[in-house]
Every structure is written in structure tokens, then in C-alpha cells.
Amino acid sequence: VRIVDRIISILVNVKDSIDYQHENHLMSDGKLESIDIVNIITELEENFEIEIGYEYITKENFESVEAILKMVEKIKNGGA
Amino acid sequence: MAFFVNCGVSIAGMVTAVPKNKITTDSFECVFGKDTISKFKENTGILEMYHAFKDQTASDLGYAASNYLISKLNISREDIGVCIFVSQAPDYRKPATACVLQHRLGLSMKCAAFDVNMGCSGFIYGHQIMQSFMQTCDEEYGLLIVAESATKQVDCTDKSVAMMFGDAGAAILYKKNSQEDSVVLLKTDGSRFRSLIVPAGGFRDLNPPETTFRDAEGVVRSKFNNYMDGLGVFAFSITDVPIAIREYLGKVGKVISDYDYVFIHQANNMIMKQIARRIKVEFGKVPVSLDRYGNTGGVSIPLTICDFFGDKSAGTLNILTSGFGIGLSVGVTSFKLDTNTVFPIFETEEIYHEGKF
């Protein structure tokens, strides 16, 4: 399964009322709230065996599936 | 980070009082709607909390707890040499509320009494300050009072905080004991001071109009209301706090399984679970009280200890504990706790009417 599909599946599990493929302002538009982010972080960490540090927990990194994907890949590559 | 190594002081007893005014999360349904309430309960785990009465202050709750504890342990008030009130809800802008409590509790004039303005990490800070004082004090006992009434500064239409907080006051008695030592870790990141704040009422903005405005998140509030940057605080809680706990364990040369229970500040269920996961402790060893009391700030750790051990005797246990939040700040410590000296939470209608001008 592609990473992007796993991310979408995680997001749907946390909140299933959003069309994630077409949303680019999940945080700015209030579609996802900070408490949702805690759930998403937990799922991302368990699924991808990563630890998401403080510097990554920003609104920008959770605005879209693409932003989350970029963040996950960056952490998996050791932050480079 | 700052580590403090203390010797010769231990906890001799503790109890927590809450206002006799239970509020349910469901009662906010008319404000936020059924779906919001349902999601809030699922995410935070908060089902009930206690709100102080209109004229009831944090110190009233702390007073009730202290009075109960002193009577229950049957110690002489003359032997209490230090009284520290840790709170962000003082009775007056000045004098220190601890001075009023020294008078109300009938403590000796030999007693040092002062306030400490700390929030969710307040119990750990108070624990450290009390031990420091007691090590150089010639009296036998010290009384730490941690109390909050955060619900008084919450805008009831702000769903990020309206259902989050509860009010409570805890009294913790310390006694000189040559055999006990305790290490405390305290850390601060003041660069994030805006993340949790009541901007008005201090001398930076003493008396602004109480008019309300709509903030960037669409919440109507005044400068006198509690503001929380949810994402910033969550990020701090689930990253900095586990790091601090790991640093603490490294310093004292222990592993998490050396402790019988881990008491974490009752911020919300998701945060607590995430911290537990990151420090690799099973959630069953992390007692929870916020489902019935909400987030009571600095009181939440002693409150949870009283909730968990108050009605049972479990002998003497090794406790690891961490408080974190406003500042932003975090504290970690551990101690041996004789659970026979922990009393159940009780409700109170105590109000110091003579204190009103």
C-alpha cells in the first residue's frame, strides 16, 4: 500500500467526514482541530514507526494529505 | 534543565477538596450541540467537573482541604513552619493568599507563608520549594496548598476551554524524615508564554475594557478570558514532557518499570495516552481522574492520587509524577508514598465571607 493511501486511511479513521483528496486547508479552515492532530500523530507514529518531534507539529504540516506525506517522508529520512 | 536533590523531607499526608457543585459535560449541549459534546467527550475523556460557587475561591477549597488534613493527622498547628499556596487564582492582587490562609488556619506566627504563581506544573514546583525550605527550617511540618478555580476565567462559549477545566484545592503535609531523598527536575520555555495566557489584569494590561472580540480562531472572548493555543500546547505536552521524563529517569538511574504508578497532569485523555506511549508505560499504571473532575491545573496530580488511593490502603509505593503546562513549564519528580496517609476527595461549600470587601 502506498504511503499516501495509508495516510488517507489514518485521516479517515480519525475523522471520516472530510474529502481529504481535495482539501488543502484542513487546519486553516477548521476542518481538523488540534485534538484531531493528537490522534493523527499517534496513528502516524504507530503506522510508520516514527517519532514526530515538536518542530513538526505545526498547522502547515497538517493542512493537506500532501503536507503530511512530505512531513512523514522527511522524518523517515532522518529529517533531511 | 535544572535538577534538585533533596534530602530529609517526605510527604506525610494529602487530601483534596472540590466545590459541592458538580457540572456535567452534557449540560453544555445547549451551547455547543450534541455532536460537539460527543466528540469532546470521546477525545478528552471529560464527563464531569466541579465549578466553584460565585463567591468561592481557590483558597476556600485549599482551606477546607488543609483544615481536614491537619485535623485528620492530629498534628499541632504550632509545628507547621512553612505554608505555601500554589495557584493562579489568588484571593487578592495583594497580599499573598498564603498570609490569609495562615490566619484562617490558625497557624503560628512563626510560619513562613507565601504564594507561588504556577499552573499545571505547580505541584512539582511546590514540592521542590517545600523540600528546600523544610531542609533548613527548624519546625517539624510544612503545608503545601495547591488550588485553582480556572472555571471563573473561562468564556462559556469557547469550546476549547469551556468544558475542560474543573476547580479543586489540595493540601499536602510535609514532614522532616532523615531517610527520604527526592530528585526534582524543573524546566521552562518562556518563549512560548503566549500559548496559555490570560492577557489582562496584570500590570502589563491592568484594566482594559471587558469588551469581547472574535479571535483568529473565531472564538468570541475578552482579554480577561483564558486563551489556549491548542496545537502549541498539545505539541509541547506530547514532545517536551516525555523528553523531560526520560531525562529524569536517566539522571536518577531508573527505568519506568521501577515505579508502581505514574501520575501525569490530567490535561486530556489523548495527551495522557500519547505521553504514556512515548515513555513506554502501560496506561493501566497511569491513573485517570479527569473523566470525573476535568483538568484542575496544578491540583490534578494530588487530586488524582487522592482519587486513586483515598479509599484503599496499598502500602508504601514508588510514585513517578510529571506536571506540565502554562509557562510553558514542566516538572518531574518521584517519591515514596504511604497510601495510608492519602484521604478521599470530599466536597465543600466553604466560603470565606469575611474576606470580601
Side-chain angles (χ1 to χ4, degrees), chain A residues 18-53:
Chain A
I18 299 170
D19 178 8
Y20 290 102
Q21 313 248 29
H22 298 98
E23 288 287 350
N24 290 312
H25 301 96
L26 290 166
M27 293 296 291
S28 307
D29 289 349
K31 300 237 158 62
L32 288 180
E33 296 172 23
S34 43
I35 192 76
D36 298 319
I37 300 305
V38 181
N39 285 325
I40 292 166
I41 287 170
T42 306
E43 294 299 321
L44 290 172
E45 289 189 341
E46 282 181 355
N47 271 274
F48 296 107
E49 293 179 344
I50 54 174
E51 186 161 314
I52 300 173

Side-chain angles (χ1 to χ4, degrees), chain B residues 215-339:
Chain B
D215 70 10
E217 287 148 14
V219 177
V220 176
R221 65 171 84 250
S222 88
K223 285 184 172 180
F224 288 92
N225 292 139
N226 212 353
Y227 167 75
M228 179 171 78
D229 162 21
L231 189 60
V233 174
F234 291 166
F236 168 79
S237 306
I238 65 176
T239 58
D240 294 57
V241 176
I243 289 169
I245 294 173
R246 283 184 218 138
E247 287 169 344
Y248 181 86
L249 293 173
K251 176 74 176 177
V252 298
K254 301 254 188 194
V255 292
I256 202 82
S257 57
D258 289 330
Y259 298 96
D260 298 301
Y261 290 98
V262 181
F263 285 86
I264 299 174
H265 165 54
Q266 308 279 304
N268 77 46
N269 223 14
M270 288 310 304
I271 287 176
M272 291 174 64
K273 279 184 177 162
Q274 178 67 277
I275 293 172
R277 201 173 69 79
R278 289 193 176 205
I279 62 172
K280 297 183 170 47
V281 61
E282 57 189 278
F283 204 57
K285 282 177 76 172
V286 183
V288 176
S289 67
L290 90 164
D291 53 334
R292 288 153 292 128
Y293 297 94
N295 176 344
T296 54
V299 195
S300 82
I301 291 170
L303 181 146
T304 307
I305 292 174
C306 293
D307 182 54
F308 196 70
F309 295 122
D311 57 1
K312 58 173 169 272
S313 172
T316 298
L317 300 173
N318 287 316
I319 303 295
L320 178 72
T321 181
S322 177
F324 51 88
I326 195 163
L328 298 174
S329 73
V330 55
V332 185
T333 192
S334 62
F335 47 81
K336 279 193 165 61
L337 181 70
D338 177 1
T339 56

Side-chain angles (χ1 to χ4, degrees), chain B residues 108-127:
Chain B
S108 156
M109 282 178 66
K110 294 180 294 182
C111 180
F114 59 95
D115 289 2
V116 175
N117 178 352
M118 292 301 286
C120 302
S121 58
F123 169 64
I124 313 292
Y125 271 79
H127 180 73

